[in-house]
Amino acid sequence: AAMDLAYVCEWERKPKSNHCPSIPLVCAWSCRNLIAFTTDLRNEEEKDLTHMVHIIDTEHPWDVYSVNSGHAEVITCLEWDQSGSRLLSADADGHIKCWSMTDHLANSWENTVGSMVEGDPVVALSWLHNGVKLALHVEKSGASNFGEKFSRVKFSPSLTLFGGKPMEGWIAVTISGLVTVSLLKPNGQVLTSTESLCRLRCRVALADVAFTGGGNIVVATSDGSSTSPVQFYKVCVSVVNEKCKIDTEILPSLFMRCTTDPARKDKYPAITHLKFLARDMSEQVLLCASNQNSSIVECWSLRKEGLPVNNIFQQISPVVGDKQPMILKWRILSATNDLDRVSAVALPKLPISLTNTDLKVANDTKFFPGLGLALAFHDGSVHIVHRLSLQMMAVFYGSSSQRPVDEQTIKRQRTAGPLVYFKAMQLSWTSLALAGIDSHGKLSMLRISPSMGHVLDMNMSLRHLLFLLEYCMVTGYDWWDILLHVQPNMVQNLVEKLHEEYMRQNAALQQVLSTRIVAMKASLCKLSSSTIARVCDYHAKLFLIAISCTLKSLLRPHFLNTPDKSPGDRLTEICSKITDIDIDKVMINLKTEEFVLEMTTLQSLQQLIQWVGDFVLYLLASLPNQGSPARPGHSFLRDGASLGMFRELMVVIRIWGLLKPSCLPVYTATSDTQDSMSLLFRLLTKLWLCCREENHITEPDDTLIDECCLLPSQLLIPNIDWLPINDGIISKLQNKQLVRLQFGKAPGLVGHTVSSQFDAFVRAPGQPKIDHLRRLHLGAYPTEECKSCTRCGCVTMLKSPNKVTAVKQWEQRWIKNCLCGGLWRRMPLSYS
């Protein structure tokens, strides 16, 4: 099937209050896979409405954050910004509010700033453009370089600060024909200015905003009647003497074709939808005109055309005759036949390149994300149509829309009571998922196949998903919606191919993406029972990279005018050059004065140092049974780069131990005299030498394995605290069965096969909990408020117990996002 339901989430029916959807219902989907939508909460006793904004993360839809928006009238618009961390809401009283996360928590939001046009309902709203625009070239999907596949398009921001930095702010259009722009200054001040769209102000029932590459803004408006023209205006925003200034100019307008077509002349009296096809495509617009029962959709495009010049002028002035004057004119691209009445439209956000070759390759390889837009109808069905030709690509029938055969049943159905249909819809950022809010305020999540239901061979399906995963890797967007399509048998292949593509990039880009690719592999490995143990390894690797960067950054050059290499780089160089197995011989080559830190700093790092020590011991002890692939830690035994990092850290820790012995990792040894650190360093170095060159990995020799066999009798092997397996929804959706959820109620998710194997490595409920990032024990029933990652389930305390700068520096690494890039959510205090 091209489209199927992944899950639905509905409100609990409470006797006293209910979520009745407001007349216009709005929803918005951010690039971090947060969905915001509105409902009205009606309280039976007081008979009044509260206008609510709800924010969910698609992985935990039941954990909804509902906030009383404080809007006095119905909310008409919701808009996420480019980074997905701030939300604008506007209402029918002219108030606009900007919401942002409290303490970077995805389930805690506050309204910080706003603007208003008193008593004038807002009909269109958008953030100003920040000048970043990519194009996805399907034709180049086989190219090795990410820069060719996803090229940056030259595009100017709507407004720039000193030095070309884009200025943040928003633009809104009101029902009385005003355009209002608010600019956020870096100091938090808001500059607002309001101007009439044109001299003759008229009612604006529908409007939309788009941006041009030159930094201008285009506004399209309609007064709601299909006999009136759809007007277009150019808006320029500038800052003059610390004040915001708006200039407007009229552009060519158009009449919908259905009103000039004699057969349909008065059939569709109202224009119900008016949208630019994308925020950064001001030259393409989608229009829908409707009557009580049916609709028609048209797609128009703005073209430059030559104006033919009369012969008289050519004789007078030959110059004019050579070069025709050019004018802009709207031309119809395509139109649908008569459809059922449209209730909502969702446009693709994937910036796919629309050149002829790209479209041809997309068609040949059946790669359709970004090419389809979704139309929802009053009978509950959803169609996906091509954004240029408006031809049907896929269809989904809702519960009440199984097509009846004969006329009689149609009539009976119409009277049977109100049908349930989508009032608002949004496509995800890769167009692989569609969220709809229906007339009961219920949220439905639909999966959309990248090939629109065409059956492809495995290799092709993988290529499609890989292309979109790379796009998310380059942009930093969340890739949850791609995981909806990954089947367990694809995981191994996808991870390998992703790694191959990553290795083909240049060194600088590899460094930028180094942690993101690890997080991506981890989230893929969660989806198959055969790779579940590798999830632990990838998370441990993220942790290792972060610790290594933090500890190395604490080293200070002894003289300020030292040569180009930082102490951290010099440490890496010396450790890889001197392959001695004796830790003290490696240590002698380093300048110990670079390692001198304050005692309190060293003491405060003990928990992180302990993790390094424990992990090295765990790895070496699991070498003899070659750590079966089903056990965490296995992939480290062949990973030269990671072992090299551990080796460097052991050297640093050894030097710090000379300064302050109490910061060393604590081992429980059987003899008092043995030097555990140098024993582990010796074995670690031997193992590292086996696999330090990626294309020349040798097996560890028998003496090394024998020595590792003795480790459990010399030292107590620690328990490693692996991350808990995630409680999210994604792994429950693989068998394509519909999952029914309720807002505010965590589902009793019956453990599937994958997690039961995994529970062997994770602490059982009732056991002491651990702060995974500070490596502190929180006790069995934590009293501190904690936050957990929406993607990897990692748990840490909300408030920092530390005052030391070095630890603050460590905590800054994951204050906004988890190490895996996921957003944080506040956990209920009773978490146990």
Side-chain angles (χ1 to χ4, degrees):
M3 296 167 79
D4 65 307
L5 262 177
Y7 62 74
V8 293
C9 201
E10 48 202 331
W11 297 101
E12 193 181 355
R13 295 256 167 269
K14 286 190 185 151
K16 282 278 187 276
S17 59
N18 63 351
H19 285 274
C20 64
S22 43
I23 309 305
L25 206 143
V26 277
C27 88
W29 192 322
S30 83
C31 61
R32 310 289 290 275
N33 282 324
L34 294 177
I35 295 178
F37 63 99
T38 59
T39 63
D40 294 340
L41 194 61
R42 175 180 288 144
N43 196 325
E44 288 301 322
E45 290 157 5
E46 297 157 21
K47 286 283 183 285
D48 62 346
L49 289 182
T50 315
H51 303 288
M52 307 292 290
V53 173
H54 310 283
I55 296 175
I56 61 154
D57 158 43
T58 51
E59 174 75 322
H60 306 91
W62 57 87
D63 184 17
V64 61
Y65 179 73
S66 301
V67 57
N68 175 354
S69 65
H71 283 296
E73 294 289 330
V74 159
I75 298 168
T76 54
C77 306
L78 284 177
E79 281 290 325
W80 288 102
D81 71 345
Q82 291 273 320
S83 66
S85 52
R86 282 179 311 185
L87 178 71
L88 286 178
S89 63
D91 67 11
D93 196 25
H95 287 252
I96 300 172
K97 299 188 173 197
C98 174
W99 302 85
S100 50
M101 285 188 244
T102 321
D103 302 330
H104 307 290
L105 295 170
N107 55 359
S108 189
W109 294 77
E110 58 189 357
N111 165 223
T112 42
V113 291
S115 66
M116 64 186 223
V117 186
E118 193 62 57
D120 201 352
V122 174
V123 287
L125 178 66
S126 170
W127 288 90
L128 295 178
H129 204 287
N130 62 0
V132 177
K133 184 182 175 186
L134 284 179
L136 260 89
H137 300 282
V138 187
E139 174 201 7
K140 303 252 174 68
S141 64
S144 58
N145 181 353
F146 285 166
E148 282 178 41
K149 295 182 196 183
F150 317 111
S151 65
R152 180 89 185 252
V153 181
K154 200 169 166 17
F155 208 88
S156 302
S158 313
L159 198 62
T160 50
L161 289 159
F162 179 73
K165 186 175 187 270
M167 188 150 188
E168 296 187 311
W170 56 84
I171 174 172
V173 181
T174 70
I175 207 160
S176 72
L178 293 177
V179 57
T180 172
V181 174
S182 296
L183 304 175
L184 293 176
K185 294 187 65 182
N187 61 9
Q189 195 187 349
V190 181
L191 299 178
T192 299
S193 172
T194 305
E195 197 59 61
S196 173
L197 267 173
C198 64
R199 284 208 198 93
L200 288 170
R201 267 170 72 185
C202 51
R203 177 171 185 269
V204 175
L206 301 168
D208 199 20
V209 180
F211 301 93
T212 68
N216 292 324
I217 302 166
V218 179
V219 173
T221 67
S222 155
D223 65 3
S225 159
S226 61
T227 52
S228 310
V230 178
Q231 303 277 9
F232 293 86
Y233 304 94
K234 183 164 97 177
V235 177
C236 303
V237 183
S238 51
V239 175
V240 182
N241 305 335
E242 289 295 304
K243 283 205 174 65
C244 173
K245 181 169 175 287
I246 303 175
D247 294 298
T248 63
E249 184 187 314
I250 297 183
L251 294 173
S253 56
L254 68 89
F255 279 98
M256 281 192 72
R257 195 176 71 181
C258 62
T259 56
T260 54
D261 167 8
R264 297 197 176 98
K265 194 154 193 266
D266 302 317
K267 192 172 174 189
Y268 299 106
I271 295 185
T272 49
H273 295 88
L274 159 64
K275 301 253 187 206
F276 286 107
L277 268 177
R279 278 269 180 256
D280 42 28
M281 279 184 70
S282 56
E283 61 286 340
Q284 244 187 17
V285 68
L286 186 82
L287 298 160
C288 168
S290 309
N291 57 27
Q292 288 299 302
N293 311 319
S294 56
S295 296
I296 189 162
V297 176
E298 297 178 1
C299 183
W300 289 71
S301 118
L302 188 65
R303 307 257 170 93
K304 265 195 177 150
E305 296 187 0
L307 198 63
V309 178
N310 193 307
N311 290 338
I312 300 175
F313 294 108
Q314 295 192 358
Q315 286 142 22
I316 302 171
S317 156
V319 186
V320 178
D322 299 345
K323 205 167 133 209
Q324 280 190 328
M326 300 301 272
I327 57 161
L328 288 171
K329 202 163 184 186
W330 285 100
R331 288 278 182 211
I332 188 160
L333 268 182
S334 52
T336 60
N337 295 326
D338 302 354
L339 306 163
D340 201 85
R341 186 166 169 204
V342 172
S343 62
V345 177
L347 297 172
K349 301 182 182 69
L350 193 71
I352 196 150
S353 159
L354 296 172
T355 61
N356 291 341
T357 41
D358 281 316
L359 288 172
K360 185 180 179 310
V361 173
N363 203 25
D364 294 347
T365 57
K366 303 283 175 264
F367 178 83
F368 298 122
L371 287 175
L373 57 96
L375 303 172
F377 297 97
H378 274 258
D379 66 354
S381 63
V382 177
H383 291 184
I384 292 191
V385 297
H386 196 285
R387 62 189 282 178
L388 298 174
S389 66
L390 296 182
Q391 281 169 343
M392 173 97 84
M393 296 166 83
V395 62
F396 168 79
Y397 292 113
S399 50
S400 55
S401 62
Q402 257 52 45
R403 294 274 116 170
V405 195
D406 59 319
E407 287 293 309
Q408 281 307 305
T409 40
I410 294 187
K411 284 183 183 143
R412 264 209 305 280
Q413 245 204 335
R414 279 272 152 81
T415 53
L419 292 171
V420 178
Y421 58 88
F422 291 132
K423 283 191 138 188
M425 276 194 317
Q426 282 269 317
L427 281 162
S428 75
W429 283 65
T430 60
S431 286
L432 294 186
L434 175 74
I437 314 288
D438 68 21
S439 35
H440 290 170
K442 179 173 83 178
L443 174 103
S444 304
M445 179 64 68
L446 297 166
R447 221 189 246 108
I448 302 177
S449 127
S451 64
M452 293 292 167
H454 289 276
V455 181
L456 300 177
D457 62 351
M458 188 62 157
N459 209 2
M460 209 63 206
S461 310
L462 285 174
R463 253 186 67 184
H464 290 350
L465 294 178
L466 187 68
F467 189 48
L468 292 169
L469 280 169
E470 290 166 0
Y471 169 68
C472 287
M473 186 152 67
V474 171
T475 51
Y477 296 159
D478 187 69
W479 56 92
W480 177 89
D481 36 333
I482 303 175
L483 300 180
L484 278 177
H485 298 268
V486 176
Q487 291 301 312
N489 57 350
M490 300 179 174
V491 170
Q492 188 69 33
N493 269 339
L494 266 178
V495 171
E496 283 168 16
K497 288 201 160 91
L498 197 63
H499 184 74
E500 274 169 35
E501 288 298 325
Y502 169 77
M503 294 311 288
R504 289 161 76 178
Q505 308 312 310
N506 61 31
L509 187 57
Q510 281 193 26
Q511 195 173 349
V512 171
L513 303 177
S514 59
T515 52
R516 205 172 292 153
I517 186 170
V518 177
M520 220 169 229
K521 289 177 183 172
S523 63
L524 286 166
C525 288
K526 255 186 205 154
L527 300 176
S528 157
S529 49
S530 57
T531 52
I532 196 88
R534 277 163 56 191
V535 180
C536 297
D537 292 13
Y538 288 129
H539 287 314
K541 183 155 184 178
L542 283 172
F543 197 66
L544 168 66
I545 293 171
I547 285 188
S548 166
C549 291
T550 305
L551 297 188
K552 280 186 190 170
S553 69
L554 294 172
L555 308 180
R556 293 278 167 266
H558 186 49
F559 302 110
L560 282 178
N561 54 356
T562 43
D564 46 9
K565 282 206 178 70
S566 69
D569 295 345
R570 205 159 39 249
L571 167 77
T572 307
E573 193 184 6
I574 286 171
C575 286
S576 59
K577 202 163 65 187
I578 296 173
T579 54
D580 208 300
I581 54 172
D582 182 356
I583 192 164
D584 296 323
K585 287 193 179 152
V586 179
M587 218 167 74
I588 287 168
N589 293 285
L590 291 162
K591 299 184 177 156
T592 27
E593 55 268 25
E594 289 182 348
F595 292 77
V596 177
L597 293 181
E598 290 170 13
M599 295 304 159
T600 48
T601 305
L602 290 178
Q603 190 54 56
S604 67
L605 295 170
Q606 203 278 328
Q607 279 86 7
L608 301 182
I609 290 173
Q610 182 70 44
W611 179 83
V612 175
D614 283 351
F615 205 86
V616 169
L617 174 53
Y618 170 85
L619 283 183
L620 292 167
S622 65
L623 180 69
N625 58 6
Q626 282 302 314
S628 67
R631 277 184 66 87
H634 173 71
S635 64
F636 277 98
L637 301 175
R638 293 280 174 281
D639 180 357
S642 298
L643 294 175
M645 274 188 201
F646 276 123
R647 192 165 168 266
E648 289 163 27
L649 292 177
M650 294 287 273
V651 176
V652 176
I653 293 168
R654 177 75 161 193
I655 299 177
W656 283 347
L658 299 175
L659 299 167
K660 186 167 182 73
S662 65
C663 80
L664 287 170
V666 179
Y667 292 111
T668 313
T670 41
S671 85
D672 298 341
T673 51
Q674 106 181 353
D675 180 353
S676 310
M677 285 277 298
S678 60
L679 165 70
L680 291 175
F681 185 84
R682 190 175 82 234
L683 301 178
L684 178 65
T685 305
K686 285 184 177 173
L687 181 58
W688 169 69
L689 288 172
C690 295
C691 57
R692 61 190 271 223
E693 283 156 29
E694 210 172 291
N695 29 18
H696 182 67
I697 294 179
T698 55
E699 285 302 307
D701 58 2
D702 293 347
T703 49
L704 172 58
I705 290 178
D706 291 347
E707 282 187 88
C708 289
C709 282
L710 291 173
L711 274 177
S713 60
Q714 295 165 309
L715 294 163
L716 181 70
I717 308 299
N719 270 337
I720 299 290
D721 280 290
W722 305 104
L723 283 190
I725 188 65
N726 199 345
D727 57 348
I729 191 88
I730 197 84
S731 47
K732 323 284 184 291
L733 299 174
Q734 284 185 310
N735 53 7
K736 298 270 171 116
Q737 295 292 317
L738 169 63
V739 178
R740 291 186 178 280
L741 304 163
Q742 221 180 40
F743 287 119
K745 252 193 192 164
L749 291 172
V750 252
H752 58 160
T753 46
V754 177
S755 54
S756 51
Q757 299 172 275
F758 187 89
D759 289 336
F761 316 127
V762 179
R763 299 185 166 212
Q767 275 194 326
K769 302 283 180 295
I770 186 164
D771 179 326
H772 292 110
L773 295 178
R774 295 187 180 91
R775 309 310 301 181
L776 296 172
H777 293 271
L778 302 174
Y781 300 98
T783 51
E784 286 294 314
E785 264 205 296
C786 290
K787 55 184 183 181
S788 81
C789 169
T790 52
R791 294 293 173 259
C792 67
C794 159
V795 173
T796 182
M797 283 183 286
L798 252 180
K799 297 206 166 46
S800 165
N802 293 303
K803 299 279 180 289
V804 188
T805 33
V807 182
K808 284 265 163 64
Q809 191 180 336
W810 166 241
E811 288 171 359
Q812 279 297 316
R813 274 188 177 275
W814 35 264
I815 191 138
K816 284 187 180 173
N817 305 44
C818 173
L819 294 175
C820 75
L823 287 167
W824 293 113
R825 61 186 185 132
R826 185 188 299 258
M827 299 184 73
L829 247 182
S830 59
Y831 121 84
S832 54

